[in-house]
């Protein structure tokens, strides 16, 4: 009976500047991470809550003003829940009506339906974006 041998990787070659052969923004052999725009990140977060994938309180630190209350009223109906595959964010566009403010609209595919979602982001003094309002197609605002 033979004993399995463990294989060790050779040490990464040293970079002349003293690094271990890494590229900026990542480990050796990996591409730098792509940073998504704030409106796309928030569209995905809202989709996760409104499809029932995440609880509403997941948005607590990411909302200001009435937005959290709007989500509390909208989320129980799980308007983006699909009986098929997970809903998919198709497109998300934004515009800047004022400094530190973004207004965005997104289209979401749920099964064979295409739905619309609009939201407003405001950047606080700490420079973080937070959701300030949410509206969905065909649903009254609470």
């Amino acid at each position: 009976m033979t004993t399995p041998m463990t294989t060790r990787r050779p040490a990464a070659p040293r970079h002349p500047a003293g690094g271990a052969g890494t590229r900026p923004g990542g480990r050796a052999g990996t591409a730098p991470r792509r940073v998504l725009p704030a409106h796309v990140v928030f569209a995905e977060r809202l989709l996760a809550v409104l499809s029932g994938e995440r609880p509403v309180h997941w948005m607590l630190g990411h909302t200001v003003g009435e937005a959290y209350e709007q989500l509390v009223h909208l989320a129980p109906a799980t308007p983006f829940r699909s009986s098929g595959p997970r809903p998919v964010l198709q497109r998300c566009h934004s515009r800047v009506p004022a400094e530190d403010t973004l207004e965005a609209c997104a289209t979401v595919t749920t099964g064979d339906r295409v739905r619309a979602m609009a939201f407003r982001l405001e950047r606080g003094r700490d420079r973080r974006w937070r959701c300030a309002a949410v509206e969905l197609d065909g649903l009254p605002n609470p």
Side-chain angles (χ1 to χ4, degrees), residues 34-55:
R34 186 172 148 220
V35 177
L36 295 174
H39 64 283
V40 175
V41 171
F42 271 85
E44 287 287 354
R45 291 185 75 86
L46 291 168
L47 177 58
V49 169
L50 296 170
S51 67
E53 184 179 317
R54 294 284 189 161

Side-chain angles (χ1 to χ4, degrees), residues 47-113:
L47 177 58
V49 169
L50 296 170
S51 67
E53 184 179 317
R54 294 284 189 161
V56 178
H57 68 265
W58 189 55
M59 292 295 290
L60 265 174
H62 303 281
T63 56
V64 292
E66 296 179 14
Y68 186 74
E69 287 301 317
Q70 289 172 323
L71 288 173
V72 166
H73 286 91
L74 291 170
T78 56
F80 290 143
R81 178 169 279 162
S82 172
S83 58
R86 179 189 188 276
V88 176
L89 179 66
Q90 293 294 323
R91 293 187 182 177
C92 190
H93 302 281
S94 72
R95 68 180 202 89
V96 181
E99 188 176 347
D100 294 329
T101 303
L102 287 175
E103 290 179 345
C105 61
T107 54
V108 176
T109 302
T110 57
D112 59 348
R113 291 188 64 194

Side-chain angles (χ1 to χ4, degrees), residues 62 91 120 123 126:
H62 303 281
R91 293 187 182 177
R120 181 181 178 96
R123 188 168 18 208
D126 61 358

